[in-house]
């Protein structure tokens, strides 16, 4: 019988740290190749990547066919898009720009079947249940969710402990690019004030009870971040890897 457990959530709960490659390209071929190249987790970016819902389903199939798992960053904390992404079988979600506990709770409710939330129900026919092949999907779906809220605005900084305490929020992921922008220092990832702010956010998240994740500052290595208690780091991106590799062999260097 078809059953699908959230392998990424299991890994994190058993204490393993994870890394993922961002997918901006919307290319099923590239994400499939990434898994075969040793990236079992692909972070499909629907916020800044090109893929919408109908392409994302092909990206998910490509990653899964190679034996990998996906996290999808949705464009916004939008209950309509969240339920559609869940119905195509995505269990691990990253939601940008969460600034308050109320917004975090709304995200959890949008992703959860009643009584925890108000996700619309079509479990008998959606891809998430194997089009009905898994009659237990509706009962288990809430437990298999991994919800990652991004902390990336000044307005969130005083609310981190409340956001991290929201039932159903598993991880808080720092977005230093948007955080620097909201501080009036866009592209200032080397700015001492941005570096200090990120360090303060790291401390607050670690004290909140939620897991800590993030996109590294240029001055830090992934190993340093894991040493500081990060559980998830996503640094490399498919189109950047391709561009840098292509530039090395380009005829006009
Ligand atoms: C940010 O830095 O703003 C992010 O969202 C992570 O890429
Ligand atoms: Mg961001």
């Amino acid at each position: 019988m078809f059953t699908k457990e959230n392998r990424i959530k299991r890994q994190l709960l058993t204490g393993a740290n994870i890394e993922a490659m961002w997918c901006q390209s919307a290319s099923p071929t590239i994400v499939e190749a990434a898994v075969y190249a040793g990236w079992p987790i692909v972070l499909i970016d629907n916020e800044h990547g090109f893929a919408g819902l109908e392409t994302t389903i092909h990206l998910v199939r490509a990653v899964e066919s190679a034996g990998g798992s996906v996290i999808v960053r949705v464009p916004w904390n939008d209950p309509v898009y969240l339920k559609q992404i869940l119905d195509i079988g995505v269990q691990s979600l990253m939601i940008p720009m969460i600034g308050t506990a109320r917004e975090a709770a709304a995200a959890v409710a949008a992703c959860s079947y009643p009584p925890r939330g108000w996700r619309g129900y079509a479990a008998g026919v959606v891809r998430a249940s194997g089009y009905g092949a898994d009659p237990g999907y509706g009962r288990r779906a809430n437990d298999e969710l991994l919800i990652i809220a991004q902390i990336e605005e000044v307005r969130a900084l005083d609310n981190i402990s409340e956001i991290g305490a929201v039932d159903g929020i598993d991880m808080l992921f720092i977005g230093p690019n948007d955080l620097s922008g909201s501080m009036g220092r866009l592209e200032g990832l080397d700015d001492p004030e941005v570096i200090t702010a990120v360090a303060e956010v790291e401390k607050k998240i670690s004290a909140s009870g939620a897991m800590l994740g993030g996109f590294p500052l240029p001055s830090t290595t992934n190993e340093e971040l894991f040493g500081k208690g990060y559980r998830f780091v996503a640094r490399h991106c498919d189109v950047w890897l391709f561009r840098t590799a292509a530039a090395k062999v380009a005829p006009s260097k």
Side-chain angles (χ1 to χ4, degrees):
M1 190 191 66
F2 175 96
T3 54
K4 194 176 159 199
E5 63 171 29
N6 186 334
R7 281 190 285 169
I8 300 174
K9 186 169 186 174
R10 294 281 179 291
Q11 273 180 273
L12 288 165
L13 290 178
T14 54
N17 296 328
I18 59 168
E19 294 182 57
M21 183 190 293
W22 291 93
C23 168
Q24 310 300 124
S25 70
S27 163
T29 302
I30 293 291
V31 293
E32 194 177 29
V35 178
Y36 287 124
W39 289 87
I41 304 176
V42 175
L43 175 48
I44 299 170
D45 190 6
N46 286 174
E47 185 190 15
H48 296 298
F50 313 133
L53 190 67
E54 290 173 19
T55 304
T56 298
I57 191 168
H58 298 306
L59 296 170
V60 173
R61 286 186 178 125
V63 170
E64 291 177 351
S65 76
S69 309
V70 301
I71 302 170
V72 172
R73 176 163 74 174
V74 295
W76 192 246
N77 185 10
D78 168 9
V80 175
Y81 197 78
L82 285 168
K83 95 177 136 186
Q84 292 179 311
I85 280 288
L86 291 162
D87 281 350
I88 71 173
V90 173
Q91 298 168 307
S92 301
L93 297 146
M94 182 184 289
I95 304 169
M97 299 203 179
I98 297 291
T100 64
R102 197 186 168 94
E103 291 170 11
V108 175
C111 292
S112 306
Y113 284 135
R116 185 167 86 164
W118 38 270
R119 172 182 171 191
Y121 182 87
V125 292
V126 293
R127 180 176 183 273
S129 68
Y131 309 100
D134 176 9
Y137 172 75
R139 283 191 303 281
R140 276 199 333 274
N142 293 355
D143 294 336
E144 297 298 331
L145 288 172
L146 178 77
I147 302 183
I148 304 170
Q150 281 200 265
I151 301 294
E152 48 184 351
E153 299 157 282
V154 169
R155 72 184 180 102
L157 300 186
D158 288 336
N159 304 326
I160 291 174
S161 57
E162 289 81 10
I163 296 171
V166 169
D167 188 26
I169 294 290
D170 300 290
M171 180 184 291
L172 302 184
F173 186 101
I174 306 172
N177 291 293
D178 282 309
L179 181 61
S180 70
S182 85
M183 294 170 67
R185 290 176 166 72
L186 187 68
E187 301 185 340
L189 296 188
D190 294 328
D191 183 306
E193 286 196 36
V194 173
I195 293 173
T196 303
V198 168
E200 278 166 21
V201 177
E202 287 169 344
K203 280 193 209 123
K204 286 185 184 174
I205 294 176
S206 299
S208 76
M211 289 182 275
L212 168 64
F215 174 87
L217 294 172
S219 52
T220 54
T221 65
N222 291 11
E223 289 64 38
E224 281 163 358
L225 296 189
F226 288 127
K228 279 201 247 180
Y230 276 72
R231 304 295 314 285
F232 174 30
V233 176
R235 176 188 292 266
H236 296 293
C237 158
D238 59 357
V239 290
W240 181 85
L241 288 169
F242 176 75
R243 187 183 59 75
T244 50
K248 281 194 188 127
V249 292
S252 54
K253 276 181 264 183

